[in-house]
């Protein structure tokens, strides 16, 4: 499965270009640690930090879901709720 999202370690921080309580999600580049690729900006201060944290965790959560689904399939235990939640999350993120 090809991952078609911005590579790098995703993080989040306050949006310093606007003083409205919003946050940005960015990816750091290992080759150029001071260069960030901006991925998203929250549009509202309401739940802004929590939303940005969830977005920044998305690549790690996708990897965890893929590994969980592979483990469950390898061990023939794919009838549990966690498996179906993981498979649906993978589909939602990749299709």
């Amino acid at each position: 499965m090809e991952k078609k999202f911005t590579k790098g370690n995703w993080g989040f921080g306050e949006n310093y270009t606007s003083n409205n309580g919003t946050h940005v999600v960015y990816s750091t580049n290992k080759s150029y640690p001071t260069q960030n690729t901006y991925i998203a900006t929250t549009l509202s201060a309401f739940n802004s930090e929590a939303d940005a944290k969830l977005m920044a965790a998305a690549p790690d959560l996708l990897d965890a879901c893929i590994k969980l689904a592979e483990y469950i399939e390898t061990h023939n235990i794919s009838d549990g709720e966690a498996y179906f939640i993981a498979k649906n999350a993978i589909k939602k993120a990749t299709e």
Side-chain angles (χ1 to χ4, degrees):
M1 167 187 334
E2 182 184 355
K3 296 176 185 172
K4 297 180 181 180
F5 55 83
T6 304
K7 306 294 185 236
N9 295 317
W10 286 25
F12 77 98
E14 288 184 45
N15 185 356
Y16 293 112
T17 61
S18 65
N19 292 325
N20 61 1
T22 60
H23 290 76
V24 295
V25 178
Y26 57 85
S27 173
T28 57
N29 182 329
K30 289 181 183 179
S31 301
Y32 304 98
T34 58
Q35 276 188 337
N36 292 331
T37 300
Y38 289 93
I39 297 166
T41 301
T42 59
L43 299 176
S44 167
F46 182 72
N47 291 332
S48 177
E49 184 175 354
D51 291 344
K53 285 179 180 180
L54 182 59
M55 286 186 272
D60 296 330
L61 294 170
L62 177 58
D63 285 342
C65 287
I66 291 169
K67 287 181 174 141
L68 173 67
E70 288 172 350
Y71 179 86
I72 289 172
E73 290 166 355
T74 300
H75 293 85
N76 287 328
I77 51 175
S78 60
D79 60 346
E81 183 180 11
Y83 175 74
F84 294 107
I85 292 171
K87 290 298 280 188
N88 284 333
I90 294 165
K91 184 178 179 181
K92 189 176 186 179
T94 60
E95 292 184 4

